[in-house]
Amino acid sequence: MIQLLSEDTIQKIAAGEVIERPASVIKELVENSIDANATEIIVEIKDGGKSLMKISDNGIGIKADEIEKAFLRHSTSKIVDFTDIYNITSLGFRGEALASVVSISKVKVNTKTEDSRLGMSVVYENNKLINKKPIAMNTGTSMEIRDIFYNVPVRKKFMKKTITEANIITNLMYRFAVGHSNIGFKYIKDDKVIFETHANSTLEESLMDLFGVEAKKDLYKIDINKRKFKIKGYISNNKYYRANRSMQYIYINGRYIEDVDIRRAIEDKYKSIIPNGRFPIYQLFLEMDPAYIDVNIHPNKKFVKITIIDDIIEALLAEIDFKLKNNIELPQIKEDVKNKSNILIKEDFNKKEYD
């Protein structure tokens, strides 16, 4: 028989499309903090985010009389009608994040706007508001999310081991910190500060804060200006690479994305100059009219469609080709003092791995 699902069931099904794991919560809420013009964002997790996730910012906050509306499905301040999704300038826009979070976890939110004398604190459990009261606090928002999927045991058992979930969040936080050097990020995992960056830093300064001063000397600057797009950032030389792709970053208008076409094109350029099984490092920032991009093709907005992708790849490869050909560093050849007939090849490669 055909039946209408209960609102609670609908909410939890919808939440599953947005919230796959603790990292999904971190992504949605940190993006909200960025959209709220925060210049300082602190993220704290425990047990891989399973028991606690806390995101605090100094952004514009939520008005007291709009807090409850913010937790309703499809409530958003980012768009008004359907046509707006083709001109997105914010990171979040669907209005599903907060509604999804409160349907599968215990949530406490403290928030205050600049023009309010007091802030407001609300507590949600099992998708219901159970407490609301005024509090004294600074302008901004703090969200505590506890016991994710506590009321959806089927989803809870599909989460990975604590260390795996924590590593996924850690990689996500590095993406945010690399992509937004104008914002100060502090990331705390199980009471230990993993990294801290500073507001209004340059990209170069943020990279040194995150990966060490050695990173600076092995990166080439990219600066491309075309009529339809701009590309800025850094690519690695032939001495600086990794055993995985965890230090490959691409952003479009401030949004982190993954693009297989761009990635393959760049990696092809390095095939003959770095060892097999190793991957180049890059941080690339693309700027273009939002009309050239469709960010609504994937639930977590990680993948996008770009109508001018061929032009972008052509310009990017030409710039990378120029940088590598003019700056490639060959291994040093050193003569063996004991036996001059033997030639030793010294590989002075910097193979530093970052956790």
Side-chain angles (χ1 to χ4, degrees):
M1 294 180 62
I2 298 175
Q3 301 181 49
L4 293 176
L5 295 174
S6 68
E7 185 60 30
D8 181 63
T9 302
I10 293 171
Q11 287 270 81
K12 287 174 180 174
I13 292 173
E17 297 175 356
V18 179
I19 309 299
E20 300 175 14
R21 56 182 359 118
S24 305
V25 176
I26 299 292
K27 177 183 181 297
E28 296 290 346
L29 299 186
V30 171
E31 285 183 347
N32 280 353
S33 293
I34 294 171
D35 286 341
N37 300 324
T39 58
E40 300 286 345
I41 300 174
I42 302 172
V43 174
E44 180 180 358
I45 67 167
K46 290 186 178 178
D47 304 316
K50 297 176 184 179
S51 63
L52 172 69
M53 292 174 278
K54 184 176 181 180
I55 299 91
S56 304
D57 68 53
N58 64 346
I60 60 176
I62 306 170
K63 292 182 178 180
D65 60 355
E66 293 185 343
I67 292 179
E68 293 181 51
K69 185 188 294 185
F71 287 92
L72 298 177
R73 287 185 67 201
H74 306 305
S75 61
T76 179
S77 60
K78 317 290 176 62
I79 66 174
V80 176
D81 58 38
F82 179 75
T83 58
D84 290 341
I85 68 172
Y86 296 103
N87 193 36
I88 294 294
T89 57
S90 59
L91 297 179
F93 59 90
R94 289 198 183 103
E96 295 175 283
L98 296 183
S100 297
V101 171
V102 298
S103 68
I104 48 86
S105 60
K106 300 172 184 175
V107 178
K108 179 180 179 181
V109 181
N110 296 335
T111 187
K112 177 186 174 296
T113 57
E114 188 176 9
D115 58 356
S116 299
R117 188 174 64 87
L118 292 173
M120 187 63 67
S121 177
V122 296
V123 178
Y124 279 84
E125 282 191 22
N126 204 24
N127 208 26
K128 292 180 178 154
L129 178 67
I130 64 171
N131 193 16
K132 182 178 181 180
K133 63 181 181 181
I135 58 167
M137 63 175 290
N138 294 326
T139 299
T141 301
S142 173
M143 297 193 66
E144 289 184 21
I145 296 88
R146 297 183 183 272
D147 303 329
I148 186 172
F149 297 131
Y150 79 101
N151 57 353
V152 193
V154 175
R155 294 296 308 279
K156 189 171 185 177
K157 73 178 183 180
F158 281 102
M159 280 194 292
K160 303 294 185 182
K161 292 180 180 179
T162 295
I163 188 170
T164 302
E165 297 293 352
N167 286 341
I168 293 171
I169 293 173
T170 298
N171 288 335
L172 174 66
M173 288 307 303
Y174 273 100
R175 291 174 193 166
F176 278 125
V178 170
H180 301 275
S181 56
N182 59 311
I183 298 174
F185 284 93
K186 187 174 184 179
Y187 172 50
I188 305 166
K189 181 177 73 173
D190 296 320
D191 299 318
K192 178 184 177 182
V193 176
I194 303 301
F195 69 74
E196 185 171 5
T197 63
H198 304 89
N200 299 317
S201 295
T202 64
L203 174 59
E204 187 178 72
E205 290 168 340
S206 287
L207 292 177
M208 286 190 289
D209 283 340
L210 294 168
F211 305 124
V213 294
E214 290 95 346
K216 178 183 176 182
K217 63 182 175 54
D218 290 316
L219 293 173
Y220 301 141
K221 193 171 184 178
I222 294 290
D223 193 350
I224 301 170
N225 284 281
K226 299 291 184 180
R227 184 174 62 85
K228 293 182 179 179
F229 61 88
K230 297 178 182 178
I231 307 175
K232 299 184 184 299
Y234 292 93
I235 60 164
S236 60
N237 62 18
N238 63 304
K239 299 197 305 176
Y240 191 29
Y241 46 78
R242 279 188 68 101
N244 55 53
R245 295 187 174 97
S246 62
M247 287 181 66
Q248 296 183 348
Y249 301 96
I250 303 175
Y251 303 85
I252 295 184
N253 296 347
R255 182 192 304 278
Y256 172 83
I257 64 138
E258 293 182 8
D259 190 286
V260 176
D261 294 329
I262 294 176
R263 188 192 75 202
R264 285 176 179 166
I266 294 174
E267 289 179 359
D268 282 346
K269 281 293 179 183
Y270 283 81
K271 276 186 177 177
S272 62
I273 62 172
I274 64 176
N276 289 333
R278 296 295 183 263
F279 300 93
I281 292 164
Y282 51 79
Q283 305 88 29
L284 299 174
F285 297 80
L286 285 68
E287 296 179 19
M288 66 191 73
D289 189 325
Y292 294 131
I293 313 163
D294 185 355
V295 299
N296 203 36
I297 65 169
H298 191 270
N300 62 23
K301 303 180 286 291
K302 185 188 292 185
F303 302 99
V304 301
K305 281 185 178 179
I306 309 170
T307 60
I308 54 173
I309 187 66
D310 292 339
D311 295 337
I312 289 170
I313 291 176
E314 181 182 0
L316 183 59
L317 293 186
E319 180 76 359
I320 292 175
D321 199 44
F322 175 79
K323 294 290 184 181
L324 293 179
K325 282 184 177 178
N326 287 277
N327 296 283
I328 192 166
E329 297 186 38
L330 298 174
Q332 297 176 8
I333 298 179
K334 196 174 184 180
E335 190 175 0
D336 187 356
V337 177
K338 294 181 180 179
N339 186 354
K340 293 186 178 182
S341 64
N342 292 330
I343 300 289
L344 299 180
I345 304 294
K346 179 186 176 185
E347 290 189 349
D348 187 27
F349 288 171
N350 177 2
K351 297 182 180 180
K352 182 172 180 181
E353 297 283 339
Y354 298 99
D355 295 325

